[in-house]
Amino acid sequence: MAGDALAIFHGGGPTAVINASLYGAVDEALSSRQIGRVLGVLGGVDGISQGRFVDFSEVPHEGLRGLLASPSSAIGSSRTPLEAEDYVRLARDIERAGIRWLLCTGGNGTQDTCGKIWRACQETDVEVDVVGIPKTMDNDISVTDHAPGFASAARFMAANVSAVCCDVHGLPAHVSVIEALGRNAGWVAAASAMADESGTGGPDLIYLPERDFDESAFLDDAQRLVDEKRSGVIVVSEGLHKAGDVPVAPPLFTMGRSTYFGDVSAHLAQLIISKLGCRARSEKPGLMQRASIAWQSEVDRDEAVACGREAVRAALDGDSGTMVGIERLSTSPYRVRFVRIPIERVMLEERHMPQEFINDAGNGVTDAYRSWLKPLLGAPLPRYTSFLSRKATLIVTY
């Protein structure tokens, strides 16, 4: 017999707006007369089998509103690898828990899990509707125009790179190499190009995993920076690789799809020092890129809430085996609509930066990318003042 509970679990790395999607789904579900209990699965998909849930009907509304500005995942997450037999067991556990609707929030791996849970429930005649909510700072989920979580990471990257550019401009003593997250896609690294919105310049060079890394060309670019400016800012993706998919810096650890990359920024900074004899340093913001609420994009937050709400509506409509996606209708003015995508079109399909978003030299982005990204960042970045970037009148006192 089917239950009456709607449950939500999170998978993979958190973002600055994953809790906003949770808020949207919970708030929508609590207003439905069809749904009995609204549950958050604690600790990722394993929490279903372990019976670890939070009942959101017992949470004060102000606590739920707090989700909109809370970093990480308020209900936890996981990267648990599942085998074929695990999905059949999971389907039975879902049935025993009285779950009638299941929402799966996450990126490529989680949407793959979502699809496999949906199939297993069909095969075992478990009556449950399964819907995916997109989440990834990497922006590598296919079909959807972009995914909640990306715009906030992009805003963080643009804002913080702009500050580094000001620093290097003010004291032109070294080349700074900044490493951005992004396993196989360069969307976040590319977002650093928007740093020049601060009014004092942006990064000089950007290298993305969508193009094979050429060490010789990189050193030539770095040498030109030193010759022309004495310094510079270079942004690179953690997934940077040479021809033949050889990582620039060997991975430290790999298990399944989870890869802990080597320190690419440190490797390239050392390369500049040893090959060019120039001063260089590396910066690796790491988890701050996805954990920073301070740089959360309000556009990202609002779209995350909308995705959560639409997922509940899809589940109640019986539109099972789908993921909510964002379809862009217009860039200027910016308009989108929320659509339901068959989950089988999404499962483990990675979306990369299109070539028209990368410049011919492979060391920067095009205006087309900047135009595509700009409306996602939300409020304008802070404007900075520097007298080094303009002609000034020299006053000499004798």
Side-chain angles (χ1 to χ4, degrees):
M1 181 177 177
D4 66 350
L6 180 143
I8 308 161
F9 78 83
H10 290 169
T15 72
V17 298
I18 189 172
N19 290 326
S21 288
L22 179 62
Y23 171 80
V26 170
D27 191 58
E28 187 74 19
L30 288 174
S31 68
S32 171
R33 294 182 179 181
Q34 291 179 252
I35 299 170
R37 296 169 298 154
V38 182
L39 307 175
V41 182
L42 299 179
V45 69
D46 290 340
I48 297 174
S49 301
Q50 297 166 358
R52 301 182 64 223
F53 303 102
V54 57
D55 188 337
F56 286 114
S57 66
E58 299 176 0
V59 179
H61 186 68
E62 60 269 22
L64 293 178
R65 288 285 302 177
L67 290 170
L68 295 171
S70 295
S72 187
S73 168
I75 57 175
S77 187
S78 69
R79 294 188 188 275
T80 303
L82 299 176
E83 303 297 333
E85 59 271 18
D86 294 327
Y87 289 100
V88 175
R89 170 186 53 77
L90 194 55
R92 296 303 184 195
D93 291 337
I94 288 168
E95 186 175 46
R96 277 192 291 272
I99 297 170
R100 177 63 182 81
W101 303 275
L102 181 67
L103 308 185
C104 318
T105 307
N108 290 307
T110 302
Q111 299 311 321
D112 183 64
T113 297
C114 177
K116 289 175 178 176
I117 291 174
W118 170 62
R119 290 171 183 166
C121 289
Q122 287 185 312
E123 293 166 1
T124 54
D125 294 323
V126 173
E127 191 175 351
V128 60
D129 290 308
V130 185
V131 177
I133 302 174
K135 174 278 321 174
T136 176
M137 64 158 288
D138 291 347
N139 200 42
D140 58 355
I141 299 179
S142 64
V143 186
T144 184
D145 180 77
H146 56 279
F150 163 67
S152 293
R155 183 172 172 81
F156 171 95
M157 182 58 58
N160 285 276
V161 169
S162 72
V164 173
C165 289
C166 287
D167 188 287
V168 173
H169 194 192
L171 180 60
H174 58 262
V175 174
S176 179
V177 185
I178 304 173
E179 182 175 333
L181 292 176
R183 184 176 54 234
N184 297 318
W187 297 96
V188 177
S192 65
M194 302 301 288
D196 63 7
E197 295 282 299
S198 67
T200 55
D204 299 283
L205 300 165
I206 303 172
Y207 296 92
L208 311 174
E210 282 81 2
R211 296 279 182 89
D212 289 339
F213 182 77
D214 184 326
E215 183 176 302
S216 178
F218 169 79
L219 289 172
D220 286 345
D221 288 342
Q223 184 65 65
R224 277 192 294 275
L225 274 183
V226 174
D227 291 343
E228 296 172 7
K229 302 173 63 176
R230 292 189 294 156
S231 64
V233 176
I234 302 173
V235 177
V236 301
S237 170
E238 67 173 347
L240 215 57
H241 59 81
K242 302 175 184 177
D245 209 28
V246 177
V248 167
L252 301 175
F253 177 74
T254 300
M255 178 180 286
R257 292 184 68 252
S258 298
T259 299
Y260 291 82
F261 288 94
D263 199 330
V264 176
S265 55
H267 174 81
L268 295 179
Q270 184 59 41
L271 195 64
I272 291 171
I273 294 169
S274 61
K275 297 291 187 180
L276 303 183
C278 303
R279 295 175 64 181
R281 62 181 296 151
S282 63
E283 309 286 348
K284 188 174 181 178
L287 296 185
M288 288 185 285
Q289 294 168 68
R290 73 185 191 200
S292 176
I293 283 295
W295 290 107
Q296 183 191 69
S297 159
E298 71 271 20
V299 174
D300 198 19
R301 181 196 62 224
D302 292 348
E303 289 184 345
V305 171
C307 283
R309 293 190 186 282
E310 181 62 22
V312 172
R313 296 177 189 130
L316 294 180
D317 288 345
D319 210 350
S320 191
T322 60
M323 183 196 80
V324 176
I326 300 173
E327 180 182 334
R328 186 178 302 217
L329 301 176
S330 171
T331 293
S332 183
Y334 178 66
R335 292 190 304 117
V336 300
R337 68 176 178 179
F338 300 92
V339 296
R340 302 170 187 179
I341 302 166
I343 195 66
E344 291 174 324
R345 294 182 59 195
V346 181
M347 298 164 68
L348 286 179
E349 287 290 330
E350 288 187 318
R351 179 170 180 258
H352 301 281
M353 285 268 293
Q355 292 302 309
E356 61 266 25
F357 282 176
I358 306 171
N359 69 5
D360 292 340
N363 59 10
V365 301
T366 62
D367 288 341
Y369 175 72
R370 294 171 61 91
S371 297
W372 175 88
L373 175 61
K374 188 169 183 177
L376 305 184
L377 299 183
L381 296 179
R383 297 283 295 185
Y384 303 134
T385 297
S386 172
F387 299 105
L388 299 172
S389 59
R390 65 193 72 179
K391 293 182 179 179
T393 302
L394 178 64
I395 301 176
V396 180
T397 303
Y398 294 97

